[in-house]
Amino acid sequence: YFAYGSNMLDSRLKERCNSASKIKPSTGSQHLLKGWKLNFSKKSQDRSGKGNIVEIRRDGEKVYGVIFEILDSEKQELDWAEYGYDQREMTILDEKNSRKNCENVIVYYKEEPDNSKIPYDWYKAYIVEGAKKHNLPKNYIKDLEKRRKKKDPDAGNHDVSKTWLRKCGYDVKA
Protein backbone atom coordinates (compact mmCIF):
# COMPACT_ATOMS: atom_id res chain seq x y z
CA TYR A 1 0.00 0.00 0.00
CA PHE A 2 1.41 3.43 -1.02
CA ALA A 3 0.48 6.09 1.56
CA TYR A 4 0.86 9.72 0.49
CA GLY A 5 -1.60 11.44 2.82
CA SER A 6 -2.60 11.10 6.45
CA ASN A 7 -1.80 7.37 6.47
CA MET A 8 1.91 8.21 6.18
CA LEU A 9 1.58 8.76 9.91
CA ASP A 10 2.09 5.10 10.69
CA SER A 11 0.51 5.36 14.14
CA ARG A 12 -2.71 6.44 12.41
CA LEU A 13 -2.44 3.68 9.81
CA LYS A 14 -1.84 1.06 12.53
CA GLU A 15 -5.24 1.97 14.02
CA ARG A 16 -6.69 0.72 10.74
CA CYS A 17 -4.18 -2.02 9.88
CA ASN A 18 -2.26 -3.17 12.92
CA SER A 19 0.12 -5.24 10.78
CA ALA A 20 1.34 -2.23 8.74
CA SER A 21 5.10 -2.30 8.34
CA LYS A 22 7.18 0.06 6.23
CA ILE A 23 9.01 -1.24 3.17
CA LYS A 24 12.22 0.75 3.00
CA PRO A 25 13.49 2.28 -0.25
CA SER A 26 17.15 2.24 -1.27
CA THR A 27 19.52 3.93 1.15
CA GLY A 28 19.34 7.69 0.70
CA SER A 29 16.23 7.46 -1.45
CA GLN A 30 12.42 7.70 -1.15
CA HIS A 31 9.44 6.08 -2.83
CA LEU A 32 7.57 8.35 -5.20
CA LEU A 33 5.13 8.60 -8.08
CA LYS A 34 6.56 10.59 -10.98
CA GLY A 35 4.15 12.60 -13.11
CA TRP A 36 1.58 12.85 -10.32
CA LYS A 37 0.57 15.78 -8.12
CA LEU A 38 -0.77 15.85 -4.56
CA ASN A 39 -3.83 17.98 -3.98
CA PHE A 40 -6.86 18.05 -1.68
CA SER A 41 -9.56 17.50 -4.29
CA LYS A 42 -11.41 14.67 -2.55
CA LYS A 43 -14.35 16.15 -0.69
CA SER A 44 -14.86 14.58 2.71
CA GLN A 45 -18.16 14.04 4.49
CA ASP A 46 -17.12 16.88 6.80
CA ARG A 47 -16.77 19.12 3.69
CA SER A 48 -13.02 19.52 4.04
CA GLY A 49 -10.44 18.52 1.46
CA LYS A 50 -8.72 15.17 1.78
CA GLY A 51 -5.45 14.17 0.18
CA ASN A 52 -5.68 12.96 -3.40
CA ILE A 53 -3.32 12.45 -6.29
CA VAL A 54 -3.84 13.42 -9.90
CA GLU A 55 -1.84 12.11 -12.84
CA ILE A 56 -0.56 15.07 -14.83
CA ARG A 57 2.38 13.58 -16.76
CA ARG A 58 4.53 16.67 -16.36
CA ASP A 59 8.28 16.43 -15.80
CA GLY A 60 9.31 17.38 -12.32
CA GLU A 61 5.95 16.65 -10.70
CA LYS A 62 6.06 13.91 -8.09
CA VAL A 63 4.31 12.67 -5.02
CA TYR A 64 6.45 11.23 -2.25
CA GLY A 65 5.03 8.61 0.05
CA VAL A 66 5.60 5.55 2.17
CA ILE A 67 5.02 1.95 1.16
CA PHE A 68 3.53 -0.28 3.82
CA GLU A 69 2.94 -4.00 3.78
CA ILE A 70 -0.37 -5.04 5.36
CA LEU A 71 -2.03 -8.38 5.90
CA ASP A 72 -4.67 -9.35 3.33
CA SER A 73 -7.09 -9.88 6.23
CA GLU A 74 -6.77 -6.16 7.14
CA LYS A 75 -7.23 -4.76 3.64
CA GLN A 76 -11.00 -4.54 4.10
CA GLU A 77 -10.46 -2.15 7.04
CA LEU A 78 -8.26 0.02 4.85
CA ASP A 79 -10.85 -0.08 2.05
CA TRP A 80 -13.48 1.08 4.53
CA ALA A 81 -11.24 3.91 5.82
CA GLU A 82 -10.53 4.99 2.24
CA TYR A 83 -14.21 4.89 1.21
CA GLY A 84 -14.89 7.03 -1.85
CA TYR A 85 -11.45 6.52 -3.36
CA ASP A 86 -10.75 4.29 -6.35
CA GLN A 87 -7.98 1.71 -6.19
CA ARG A 88 -5.29 1.05 -8.71
CA GLU A 89 -2.32 -1.26 -8.67
CA MET A 90 0.86 0.56 -9.63
CA THR A 91 4.53 -0.23 -9.82
CA ILE A 92 6.56 2.20 -7.77
CA LEU A 93 10.32 2.59 -7.87
CA ASP A 94 12.39 4.64 -5.52
CA GLU A 95 14.18 7.84 -6.57
CA LYS A 96 17.19 5.86 -7.70
CA ASN A 97 14.93 3.79 -9.99
CA SER A 98 16.27 0.76 -8.20
CA ARG A 99 14.81 -2.48 -9.54
CA LYS A 100 15.77 -3.98 -6.19
CA ASN A 101 13.13 -1.78 -4.58
CA CYS A 102 10.47 -2.06 -7.27
CA GLU A 103 7.10 -2.59 -5.57
CA ASN A 104 3.65 -3.41 -6.89
CA VAL A 105 1.32 -1.50 -4.61
CA ILE A 106 -2.27 -0.48 -4.16
CA VAL A 107 -2.85 3.26 -4.43
CA TYR A 108 -6.09 4.95 -3.43
CA TYR A 109 -7.05 8.05 -5.38
CA LYS A 110 -10.13 9.77 -6.78
CA GLU A 111 -10.23 10.60 -10.48
CA GLU A 112 -11.53 14.12 -10.54
CA PRO A 113 -10.23 17.47 -11.71
CA ASP A 114 -7.89 19.47 -9.53
CA ASN A 115 -10.62 21.42 -7.80
CA SER A 116 -8.71 21.52 -4.56
CA LYS A 117 -10.59 22.03 -1.37
CA ILE A 118 -9.02 23.16 1.88
CA PRO A 119 -8.05 20.52 4.46
CA TYR A 120 -8.60 20.96 8.17
CA ASP A 121 -5.52 21.95 10.16
CA TRP A 122 -5.42 18.68 12.11
CA TYR A 123 -5.64 16.62 8.91
CA LYS A 124 -2.80 18.55 7.33
CA ALA A 125 -0.81 18.02 10.56
CA TYR A 126 -1.16 14.24 10.10
CA ILE A 127 0.33 14.52 6.61
CA VAL A 128 3.17 16.84 7.58
CA GLU A 129 4.10 14.83 10.67
CA GLY A 130 4.03 11.58 8.68
CA ALA A 131 6.31 13.13 6.05
CA LYS A 132 8.71 14.29 8.76
CA LYS A 133 8.70 10.93 10.53
CA HIS A 134 9.68 9.14 7.33
CA ASN A 135 12.31 11.74 6.40
CA LEU A 136 10.78 12.77 3.11
CA PRO A 137 12.77 15.50 1.32
CA LYS A 138 12.90 18.80 3.20
CA ASN A 139 11.64 20.78 0.19
CA TYR A 140 8.64 18.45 -0.11
CA ILE A 141 7.85 18.90 3.59
CA LYS A 142 8.15 22.69 3.23
CA ASP A 143 5.69 22.54 0.33
CA LEU A 144 3.26 20.54 2.47
CA GLU A 145 3.61 23.02 5.34
CA LYS A 146 2.85 25.98 3.01
CA ARG A 147 -0.40 24.52 1.79
CA ARG A 148 -3.59 26.19 2.90
CA LYS A 149 -5.56 24.82 5.83
CA LYS A 150 -8.61 25.82 7.80
CA LYS A 151 -9.68 25.41 11.38
CA ASP A 152 -12.13 22.61 12.01
CA PRO A 153 -15.42 24.16 13.19
CA ASP A 154 -15.86 21.11 15.44
CA ALA A 155 -13.44 22.29 18.13
CA GLY A 156 -13.76 18.98 19.97
CA ASN A 157 -12.55 17.10 16.90
CA HIS A 158 -9.62 19.49 16.57
CA ASP A 159 -8.64 19.10 20.24
CA VAL A 160 -8.84 15.31 20.06
CA SER A 161 -6.62 15.29 16.98
CA LYS A 162 -3.94 17.45 18.60
CA THR A 163 -4.06 15.33 21.75
CA TRP A 164 -3.73 12.18 19.65
CA LEU A 165 -0.79 13.59 17.68
CA ARG A 166 1.00 14.56 20.91
CA LYS A 167 0.30 11.12 22.40
CA CYS A 168 2.05 9.57 19.39
CA GLY A 169 5.14 11.68 20.09
CA TYR A 170 4.69 14.38 17.47
CA ASP A 171 5.45 18.03 18.11
CA VAL A 172 2.25 19.90 17.32
CA LYS A 173 2.22 23.69 17.46
CA ALA A 174 -0.71 25.34 19.23
Side-chain angles (χ1 to χ4, degrees), residues 78-127:
L78 188 57
D79 290 345
W80 184 84
E82 300 301 322
Y83 178 79
Y85 286 96
D86 299 316
Q87 292 180 46
R88 181 169 161 186
E89 187 171 314
M90 296 183 184
T91 301
I92 295 183
L93 300 171
D94 58 27
E95 284 178 302
K96 295 181 179 181
N97 291 322
S98 170
R99 290 281 166 203
K100 178 181 172 191
N101 285 303
C102 175
E103 300 290 341
N104 291 322
V105 298
I106 296 294
V107 179
Y108 293 88
Y109 69 103
K110 185 71 180 162
E111 279 198 46
E112 48 186 76
D114 185 2
N115 294 327
S116 285
K117 289 136 186 62
I118 301 173
Y120 286 140
D121 47 5
W122 58 264
Y123 178 80
K124 188 179 131 182
Y126 285 150
I127 296 170

CSV table of all heavy atoms in Angstrom, one decimal, residues 78-127:
chain,number,residue,atom,x,y,z
A,78,LEU,N,-8.8,-1.1,5.6
A,78,LEU,CA,-8.3,0.0,4.9
A,78,LEU,C,-9.2,0.5,3.8
A,78,LEU,O,-9.4,1.7,3.6
A,78,LEU,CB,-6.9,-0.4,4.3
A,78,LEU,CG,-6.1,0.7,3.6
A,78,LEU,CD1,-5.8,1.9,4.6
A,78,LEU,CD2,-4.8,0.2,3.1
A,79,ASP,N,-9.9,-0.4,3.1
A,79,ASP,CA,-10.9,-0.1,2.0
A,79,ASP,C,-12.0,0.7,2.7
A,79,ASP,O,-12.4,1.7,2.1
A,79,ASP,CB,-11.5,-1.3,1.4
A,79,ASP,CG,-10.5,-2.1,0.5
A,79,ASP,OD1,-9.4,-1.5,0.1
A,79,ASP,OD2,-10.8,-3.2,0.2
A,80,TRP,N,-12.4,0.4,3.8
A,80,TRP,CA,-13.5,1.1,4.5
A,80,TRP,C,-13.0,2.5,4.9
A,80,TRP,O,-13.7,3.5,4.7
A,80,TRP,CB,-13.9,0.3,5.8
A,80,TRP,CG,-15.1,1.0,6.5
A,80,TRP,CD1,-16.4,0.8,6.2
A,80,TRP,CD2,-15.0,1.9,7.5
A,80,TRP,NE1,-17.2,1.6,7.0
A,80,TRP,CE2,-16.3,2.3,7.9
A,80,TRP,CE3,-14.0,2.4,8.3
A,80,TRP,CZ2,-16.6,3.2,8.9
A,80,TRP,CZ3,-14.3,3.3,9.3
A,80,TRP,CH2,-15.6,3.7,9.6
A,81,ALA,N,-11.8,2.6,5.4
A,81,ALA,CA,-11.2,3.9,5.8
A,81,ALA,C,-11.1,4.8,4.6
A,81,ALA,O,-11.2,6.0,4.7
A,81,ALA,CB,-9.9,3.7,6.6
A,82,GLU,N,-10.8,4.2,3.5
A,82,GLU,CA,-10.5,5.0,2.2
A,82,GLU,C,-11.8,5.0,1.3
A,82,GLU,O,-11.7,5.2,0.1
A,82,GLU,CB,-9.3,4.4,1.5
A,82,GLU,CG,-8.0,4.4,2.3
A,82,GLU,CD,-7.6,5.8,2.8
A,82,GLU,OE1,-7.8,6.8,2.0
A,82,GLU,OE2,-7.2,6.0,3.9
A,83,TYR,N,-13.0,4.9,1.9
A,83,TYR,CA,-14.2,4.9,1.2
A,83,TYR,C,-14.3,6.1,0.3
A,83,TYR,O,-14.0,7.2,0.7
A,83,TYR,CB,-15.4,4.8,2.2
A,83,TYR,CG,-16.7,4.9,1.5
A,83,TYR,CD1,-17.2,3.7,0.9
A,83,TYR,CD2,-17.4,6.1,1.4
A,83,TYR,CE1,-18.5,3.8,0.3
A,83,TYR,CE2,-18.7,6.1,0.7
A,83,TYR,CZ,-19.2,4.9,0.2
A,83,TYR,OH,-20.4,5.0,-0.5
A,84,GLY,N,-14.7,5.9,-0.9
A,84,GLY,CA,-14.9,7.0,-1.9
A,84,GLY,C,-13.7,7.2,-2.8
A,84,GLY,O,-13.8,7.9,-3.8
A,85,TYR,N,-12.6,6.5,-2.5
A,85,TYR,CA,-11.4,6.5,-3.4
A,85,TYR,C,-11.5,5.3,-4.3
A,85,TYR,O,-12.1,4.3,-3.9
A,85,TYR,CB,-10.1,6.4,-2.6
A,85,TYR,CG,-9.7,7.7,-1.8
A,85,TYR,CD1,-10.0,7.8,-0.5
A,85,TYR,CD2,-9.0,8.6,-2.5
A,85,TYR,CE1,-9.6,9.0,0.2
A,85,TYR,CE2,-8.5,9.8,-1.8
A,85,TYR,CZ,-8.8,9.9,-0.5
A,85,TYR,OH,-8.4,11.0,0.2
A,86,ASP,N,-10.9,5.4,-5.5
A,86,ASP,CA,-10.8,4.3,-6.3
A,86,ASP,C,-9.4,3.6,-6.0
A,86,ASP,O,-8.6,4.3,-5.4
A,86,ASP,CB,-10.7,4.8,-7.8
A,86,ASP,CG,-12.0,5.5,-8.2
A,86,ASP,OD1,-13.1,5.0,-7.9
A,86,ASP,OD2,-12.0,6.5,-8.9
A,87,GLN,N,-9.2,2.4,-6.4
A,87,GLN,CA,-8.0,1.7,-6.2
A,87,GLN,C,-7.3,1.4,-7.5
A,87,GLN,O,-8.0,1.1,-8.5
A,87,GLN,CB,-8.2,0.4,-5.5
A,87,GLN,CG,-8.7,0.5,-4.1
A,87,GLN,CD,-8.9,-0.9,-3.5
A,87,GLN,OE1,-8.0,-1.8,-3.7
A,87,GLN,NE2,-10.0,-1.1,-2.9
A,88,ARG,N,-6.0,1.4,-7.5
A,88,ARG,CA,-5.3,1.1,-8.7
A,88,ARG,C,-4.0,0.4,-8.3
A,88,ARG,O,-3.3,0.8,-7.3
A,88,ARG,CB,-5.0,2.3,-9.5
A,88,ARG,CG,-4.2,2.1,-10.8
A,88,ARG,CD,-4.3,3.4,-11.6
A,88,ARG,NE,-3.2,3.4,-12.6
A,88,ARG,CZ,-3.0,4.5,-13.3
A,88,ARG,NH1,-3.7,5.6,-13.1
A,88,ARG,NH2,-2.0,4.5,-14.2
A,89,GLU,N,-3.6,-0.7,-8.9
A,89,GLU,CA,-2.3,-1.3,-8.7
A,89,GLU,C,-1.3,-0.6,-9.5
A,89,GLU,O,-1.5,-0.4,-10.7
A,89,GLU,CB,-2.3,-2.8,-9.0
A,89,GLU,CG,-1.0,-3.4,-8.5
A,89,GLU,CD,-1.1,-4.9,-8.6
A,89,GLU,OE1,-2.1,-5.5,-8.2
A,89,GLU,OE2,-0.1,-5.5,-9.1
A,90,MET,N,-0.2,-0.1,-8.9
A,90,MET,CA,0.9,0.6,-9.6
A,90,MET,C,2.2,0.0,-9.3
A,90,MET,O,2.3,-0.6,-8.2
A,90,MET,CB,0.9,2.0,-9.2
A,90,MET,CG,-0.3,2.8,-9.6
A,90,MET,SD,-0.1,4.5,-9.2
A,90,MET,CE,-1.7,5.2,-9.6
A,91,THR,N,3.2,0.1,-10.1
A,91,THR,CA,4.5,-0.2,-9.8
A,91,THR,C,5.3,1.0,-9.4
A,91,THR,O,5.3,2.0,-10.2
A,91,THR,CB,5.2,-0.9,-11.0
A,91,THR,OG1,4.5,-2.1,-11.4
A,91,THR,CG2,6.6,-1.3,-10.7
A,92,ILE,N,5.9,1.0,-8.3
A,92,ILE,CA,6.6,2.2,-7.8
A,92,ILE,C,8.0,1.8,-7.6
A,92,ILE,O,8.4,0.8,-6.9
A,92,ILE,CB,5.9,2.7,-6.4
A,92,ILE,CG1,4.5,3.2,-6.7
A,92,ILE,CG2,6.8,3.8,-5.8
A,92,ILE,CD1,3.8,3.7,-5.5
A,93,LEU,N,8.9,2.7,-8.1
A,93,LEU,CA,10.3,2.6,-7.9
A,93,LEU,C,10.7,3.6,-6.8
A,93,LEU,O,9.9,4.5,-6.5
A,93,LEU,CB,11.1,2.9,-9.2
A,93,LEU,CG,10.8,1.9,-10.3
A,93,LEU,CD1,11.5,2.4,-11.6
A,93,LEU,CD2,11.3,0.5,-10.0
A,94,ASP,N,11.9,3.6,-6.4
A,94,ASP,CA,12.4,4.6,-5.5
A,94,ASP,C,13.1,5.7,-6.4
A,94,ASP,O,13.2,5.5,-7.6
A,94,ASP,CB,13.3,4.1,-4.4
A,94,ASP,CG,14.5,3.4,-4.9
A,94,ASP,OD1,15.0,3.6,-6.0
A,94,ASP,OD2,15.0,2.5,-4.1
A,95,GLU,N,13.6,6.8,-5.8
A,95,GLU,CA,14.2,7.8,-6.6
A,95,GLU,C,15.4,7.4,-7.4
A,95,GLU,O,15.6,8.0,-8.4
A,95,GLU,CB,14.7,8.9,-5.6
A,95,GLU,CG,13.6,9.8,-5.1
A,95,GLU,CD,14.1,10.8,-4.1
A,95,GLU,OE1,14.8,10.4,-3.1
A,95,GLU,OE2,13.9,12.0,-4.4
A,96,LYS,N,16.0,6.4,-7.0
A,96,LYS,CA,17.2,5.9,-7.7
A,96,LYS,C,16.8,4.9,-8.8
A,96,LYS,O,17.6,4.3,-9.5
A,96,LYS,CB,18.2,5.2,-6.7
A,96,LYS,CG,18.8,6.1,-5.7
A,96,LYS,CD,19.7,5.4,-4.8
A,96,LYS,CE,20.3,6.4,-3.8
A,96,LYS,NZ,21.3,5.7,-2.9
A,97,ASN,N,15.5,4.7,-9.0
A,97,ASN,CA,14.9,3.8,-10.0
A,97,ASN,C,15.5,2.4,-9.8
A,97,ASN,O,15.8,1.7,-10.7
A,97,ASN,CB,15.2,4.3,-11.4
A,97,ASN,CG,14.4,5.5,-11.8
A,97,ASN,OD1,13.2,5.6,-11.3
A,97,ASN,ND2,14.9,6.4,-12.5
A,98,SER,N,15.7,2.0,-8.5
A,98,SER,CA,16.3,0.8,-8.2
A,98,SER,C,15.3,-0.4,-8.4
A,98,SER,O,14.2,-0.4,-7.9
A,98,SER,CB,16.7,0.8,-6.7
A,98,SER,OG,17.0,-0.5,-6.3
A,99,ARG,N,15.6,-1.3,-9.3
A,99,ARG,CA,14.8,-2.5,-9.5
A,99,ARG,C,14.7,-3.3,-8.3
A,99,ARG,O,13.8,-4.1,-8.1
A,99,ARG,CB,15.3,-3.3,-10.7
A,99,ARG,CG,15.2,-2.6,-12.0
A,99,ARG,CD,13.7,-2.8,-12.5
A,99,ARG,NE,13.5,-1.9,-13.6
A,99,ARG,CZ,12.3,-1.4,-13.9
A,99,ARG,NH1,11.2,-1.9,-13.2
A,99,ARG,NH2,12.1,-0.6,-14.9
A,100,LYS,N,15.8,-3.2,-7.4
A,100,LYS,CA,15.8,-4.0,-6.2
A,100,LYS,C,14.6,-3.6,-5.3
A,100,LYS,O,14.1,-4.3,-4.5
A,100,LYS,CB,17.1,-3.7,-5.5
A,100,LYS,CG,17.2,-4.4,-4.1
A,100,LYS,CD,18.6,-4.0,-3.5
A,100,LYS,CE,18.6,-4.6,-2.1
A,100,LYS,NZ,19.8,-4.0,-1.4
A,101,ASN,N,14.2,-2.3,-5.4
A,101,ASN,CA,13.1,-1.8,-4.6
A,101,ASN,C,11.9,-1.5,-5.4
A,101,ASN,O,11.1,-0.5,-5.1
A,101,ASN,CB,13.6,-0.5,-3.8
A,101,ASN,CG,14.5,-0.9,-2.7
A,101,ASN,OD1,14.1,-1.7,-1.8
A,101,ASN,ND2,15.7,-0.4,-2.7
A,102,CYS,N,11.7,-2.2,-6.4
A,102,CYS,CA,10.5,-2.1,-7.3
A,102,CYS,C,9.3,-2.7,-6.5
A,102,CYS,O,9.4,-3.9,-6.1
A,102,CYS,CB,10.7,-2.7,-8.6
A,102,CYS,SG,9.3,-2.8,-9.7
A,103,GLU,N,8.2,-2.0,-6.3
A,103,GLU,CA,7.1,-2.6,-5.6
A,103,GLU,C,5.8,-2.4,-6.4
A,103,GLU,O,5.5,-1.4,-6.9
A,103,GLU,CB,6.9,-1.8,-4.2
A,103,GLU,CG,8.1,-1.9,-3.3
A,103,GLU,CD,8.4,-3.3,-2.7
A,103,GLU,OE1,7.4,-4.1,-2.7
A,103,GLU,OE2,9.5,-3.6,-2.3
A,104,ASN,N,5.0,-3.5,-6.4
A,104,ASN,CA,3.6,-3.4,-6.9
A,104,ASN,C,2.8,-3.1,-5.7
A,104,ASN,O,2.8,-3.9,-4.7
A,104,ASN,CB,3.2,-4.7,-7.6
A,104,ASN,CG,4.0,-5.0,-8.8
A,104,ASN,OD1,4.2,-4.0,-9.6
A,104,ASN,ND2,4.3,-6.2,-9.1
A,105,VAL,N,2.1,-2.0,-5.8
A,105,VAL,CA,1.3,-1.5,-4.6
A,105,VAL,C,-0.1,-1.1,-5.0
A,105,VAL,O,-0.4,-0.9,-6.2
A,105,VAL,CB,2.0,-0.3,-4.0
A,105,VAL,CG1,3.4,-0.6,-3.5
A,105,VAL,CG2,2.1,0.9,-4.9
A,106,ILE,N,-0.9,-1.0,-4.0
A,106,ILE,CA,-2.3,-0.5,-4.2
A,106,ILE,C,-2.2,1.0,-3.8
A,106,ILE,O,-1.6,1.4,-2.8
A,106,ILE,CB,-3.3,-1.2,-3.2
A,106,ILE,CG1,-3.4,-2.6,-3.6
A,106,ILE,CG2,-4.6,-0.4,-3.2
A,106,ILE,CD1,-4.1,-2.9,-4.9
A,107,VAL,N,-2.8,1.8,-4.7
A,107,VAL,CA,-2.9,3.3,-4.4
A,107,VAL,C,-4.3,3.7,-4.5
A,107,VAL,O,-5.1,3.3,-5.4
A,107,VAL,CB,-2.1,4.0,-5.5
A,107,VAL,CG1,-2.2,5.5,-5.3
A,107,VAL,CG2,-0.6,3.6,-5.5
A,108,TYR,N,-4.7,4.4,-3.5
A,108,TYR,CA,-6.1,4.9,-3.4
A,108,TYR,C,-6.1,6.4,-4.0
A,108,TYR,O,-5.2,7.2,-3.5
A,108,TYR,CB,-6.6,5.0,-2.0
A,108,TYR,CG,-6.8,3.6,-1.4
A,108,TYR,CD1,-5.8,2.9,-0.7
A,108,TYR,CD2,-8.1,3.0,-1.5
A,108,TYR,CE1,-6.0,1.7,-0.2
A,108,TYR,CE2,-8.3,1.7,-0.9
A,108,TYR,CZ,-7.3,1.1,-0.3
A,108,TYR,OH,-7.5,-0.2,0.3
A,109,TYR,N,-7.0,6.7,-4.8
A,109,TYR,CA,-7.0,8.1,-5.4
A,109,TYR,C,-8.5,8.2,-5.9
A,109,TYR,O,-9.2,7.3,-6.1
A,109,TYR,CB,-6.0,8.3,-6.5
A,109,TYR,CG,-6.3,7.5,-7.7
A,109,TYR,CD1,-6.8,8.1,-8.9
A,109,TYR,CD2,-6.1,6.1,-7.8
A,109,TYR,CE1,-7.1,7.4,-10.0
A,109,TYR,CE2,-6.3,5.4,-8.9
A,109,TYR,CZ,-6.9,6.0,-10.0
A,109,TYR,OH,-7.2,5.3,-11.2
A,110,LYS,N,-8.8,9.5,-6.2
A,110,LYS,CA,-10.1,9.8,-6.8
A,110,LYS,C,-9.9,10.5,-8.1
A,110,LYS,O,-9.3,11.6,-8.1
A,110,LYS,CB,-10.9,10.6,-5.8
A,110,LYS,CG,-12.3,10.9,-6.2
A,110,LYS,CD,-13.2,9.6,-6.1
A,110,LYS,CE,-14.6,9.9,-6.5
A,110,LYS,NZ,-15.3,8.7,-6.8
A,111,GLU,N,-10.4,9.9,-9.2
A,111,GLU,CA,-10.2,10.6,-10.5
A,111,GLU,C,-11.2,11.7,-10.6
A,111,GLU,O,-12.4,11.5,-10.7
A,111,GLU,CB,-10.5,9.6,-11.6
A,111,GLU,CG,-9.3,8.8,-11.9
A,111,GLU,CD,-9.3,8.1,-13.3
A,111,GLU,OE1,-9.7,8.8,-14.3
A,111,GLU,OE2,-9.0,6.9,-13.3
A,112,GLU,N,-10.7,12.9,-10.4
A,112,GLU,CA,-11.5,14.1,-10.5
A,112,GLU,C,-10.6,15.3,-10.8
A,112,GLU,O,-9.4,15.2,-10.5
A,112,GLU,CB,-12.4,14.4,-9.3
A,112,GLU,CG,-11.8,14.3,-8.0
A,112,GLU,CD,-12.8,14.4,-6.9
A,112,GLU,OE1,-13.5,13.5,-6.6
A,112,GLU,OE2,-12.8,15.5,-6.3
A,113,PRO,N,-11.1,16.3,-11.4
A,113,PRO,CA,-10.2,17.5,-11.7
A,113,PRO,C,-9.6,18.1,-10.4
A,113,PRO,O,-10.1,17.9,-9.3
A,113,PRO,CB,-11.2,18.5,-12.4
A,113,PRO,CG,-12.6,18.0,-12.1
A,113,PRO,CD,-12.5,16.6,-11.7
A,114,ASP,N,-8.6,18.8,-10.7
A,114,ASP,CA,-7.9,19.5,-9.5
A,114,ASP,C,-8.7,20.7,-9.0
A,114,ASP,O,-8.3,21.8,-9.2
A,114,ASP,CB,-6.5,19.9,-10.0
A,114,ASP,CG,-5.7,20.4,-8.8
A,114,ASP,OD1,-6.2,20.4,-7.7
A,114,ASP,OD2,-4.5,20.8,-9.0
A,115,ASN,N,-9.8,20.4,-8.4
A,115,ASN,CA,-10.6,21.4,-7.8
A,115,ASN,C,-10.3,21.3,-6.3
A,115,ASN,O,-11.2,20.8,-5.5
A,115,ASN,CB,-12.1,21.2,-8.1
A,115,ASN,CG,-12.4,21.4,-9.5
A,115,ASN,OD1,-11.8,22.2,-10.2
A,115,ASN,ND2,-13.4,20.7,-10.0
A,116,SER,N,-9.2,21.7,-5.9
A,116,SER,CA,-8.7,21.5,-4.6
A,116,SER,C,-9.6,22.2,-3.6
A,116,SER,O,-10.1,23.3,-3.8
A,116,SER,CB,-7.3,22.0,-4.4
A,116,SER,OG,-6.4,21.1,-5.0
A,117,LYS,N,-9.9,21.5,-2.5
A,117,LYS,CA,-10.6,22.0,-1.4
A,117,LYS,C,-9.5,22.3,-0.3
A,117,LYS,O,-8.4,22.1,-0.5
A,117,LYS,CB,-11.6,21.0,-0.9
A,117,LYS,CG,-12.8,20.9,-1.9
A,117,LYS,CD,-13.1,19.4,-2.1
A,117,LYS,CE,-14.2,19.2,-3.2
A,117,LYS,NZ,-13.8,19.6,-4.5
A,118,ILE,N,-10.0,22.8,0.8
A,118,ILE,CA,-9.0,23.2,1.9
A,118,ILE,C,-9.1,22.1,3.0
A,118,ILE,O,-10.2,21.9,3.5
A,118,ILE,CB,-9.3,24.6,2.4
A,118,ILE,CG1,-9.2,25.6,1.3
A,118,ILE,CG2,-8.3,24.9,3.5
A,118,ILE,CD1,-9.6,27.0,1.7
A,119,PRO,N,-8.0,21.5,3.4
A,119,PRO,CA,-8.1,20.5,4.5
A,119,PRO,C,-8.1,21.2,5.8
A,119,PRO,O,-7.7,22.4,6.0
A,119,PRO,CB,-6.7,19.8,4.3
A,119,PRO,CG,-5.8,20.8,3.7
A,119,PRO,CD,-6.7,21.6,2.8
A,120,TYR,N,-8.6,20.5,6.8
A,120,TYR,CA,-8.6,21.0,8.2
A,120,TYR,C,-7.2,20.9,8.7
A,120,TYR,O,-6.4,20.1,8.3
A,120,TYR,CB,-9.5,20.1,9.1
A,120,TYR,CG,-11.0,20.4,8.9
A,120,TYR,CD1,-11.9,19.4,8.9
A,120,TYR,CD2,-11.5,21.7,8.7
A,120,TYR,CE1,-13.3,19.6,8.7
A,120,TYR,CE2,-12.8,21.9,8.5
A,120,TYR,CZ,-13.7,20.9,8.5
A,120,TYR,OH,-15.0,21.2,8.3
A,121,ASP,N,-6.9,21.8,9.6
A,121,ASP,CA,-5.5,22.0,10.2
A,121,ASP,C,-5.0,20.6,10.8
A,121,ASP,O,-3.9,20.2,10.6
A,121,ASP,CB,-5.4,23.1,11.2
A,121,ASP,CG,-6.5,23.1,12.2
A,121,ASP,OD1,-7.4,22.2,12.2
A,121,ASP,OD2,-6.6,24.1,13.0
A,122,TRP,N,-5.9,19.9,11.5
A,122,TRP,CA,-5.4,18.7,12.1
A,122,TRP,C,-5.1,17.6,11.1
A,122,TRP,O,-4.2,16.8,11.2
A,122,TRP,CB,-6.5,18.2,13.1
A,122,TRP,CG,-7.8,17.9,12.6
A,122,TRP,CD1,-8.9,18.8,12.6
A,122,TRP,CD2,-8.3,16.7,11.9
A,122,TRP,NE1,-10.0,18.2,12.0
A,122,TRP,CE2,-9.6,16.9,11.6
A,122,TRP,CE3,-7.7,15.5,11.5
A,122,TRP,CZ2,-10.4,16.0,10.9
A,122,TRP,CZ3,-8.4,14.6,10.9
A,122,TRP,CH2,-9.8,14.8,10.6
A,123,TYR,N,-5.9,17.6,10.0
A,123,TYR,CA,-5.6,16.6,8.9
A,123,TYR,C,-4.3,16.9,8.2
A,123,TYR,O,-3.5,16.0,8.0
A,123,TYR,CB,-6.8,16.6,7.9
A,123,TYR,CG,-6.6,15.7,6.8
A,123,TYR,CD1,-6.9,14.3,6.9
A,123,TYR,CD2,-6.2,16.1,5.5
A,123,TYR,CE1,-6.7,13.4,5.9
A,123,TYR,CE2,-6.0,15.3,4.5
A,123,TYR,CZ,-6.2,13.9,4.7
A,123,TYR,OH,-6.1,13.0,3.6
A,124,LYS,N,-4.1,18.2,7.9
A,124,LYS,CA,-2.8,18.6,7.3
A,124,LYS,C,-1.7,18.2,8.3
A,124,LYS,O,-0.6,17.8,7.8
A,124,LYS,CB,-2.8,20.0,7.0
A,124,LYS,CG,-1.6,20.4,6.2
A,124,LYS,CD,-1.6,21.9,5.8
A,124,LYS,CE,-0.3,22.5,6.1
A,124,LYS,NZ,-0.2,23.9,5.9
A,125,ALA,N,-1.9,18.4,9.6
A,125,ALA,CA,-0.8,18.0,10.6
A,125,ALA,C,-0.5,16.5,10.5
A,125,ALA,O,0.7,16.2,10.6
A,125,ALA,CB,-1.3,18.4,12.0
A,126,TYR,N,-1.5,15.7,10.3
A,126,TYR,CA,-1.2,14.2,10.1
A,126,TYR,C,-0.2,14.0,8.9
A,126,TYR,O,0.8,13.3,9.0
A,126,TYR,CB,-2.4,13.4,9.8
A,126,TYR,CG,-3.4,13.2,10.9
A,126,TYR,CD1,-4.7,13.1,10.7
A,126,TYR,CD2,-2.9,13.0,12.2
A,126,TYR,CE1,-5.6,12.8,11.7
A,126,TYR,CE2,-3.8,12.8,13.3
A,126,TYR,CZ,-5.2,12.7,13.0
A,126,TYR,OH,-6.0,12.4,14.0
A,127,ILE,N,-0.5,14.7,7.8
A,127,ILE,CA,0.3,14.5,6.6
A,127,ILE,C,1.7,15.0,6.8
A,127,ILE,O,2.7,14.4,6.5
A,127,ILE,CB,-0.3,15.2,5.4
A,127,ILE,CG1,-1.7,14.5,5.1
A,127,ILE,CG2,0.6,15.2,4.2
A,127,ILE,CD1,-2.5,15.3,4.1
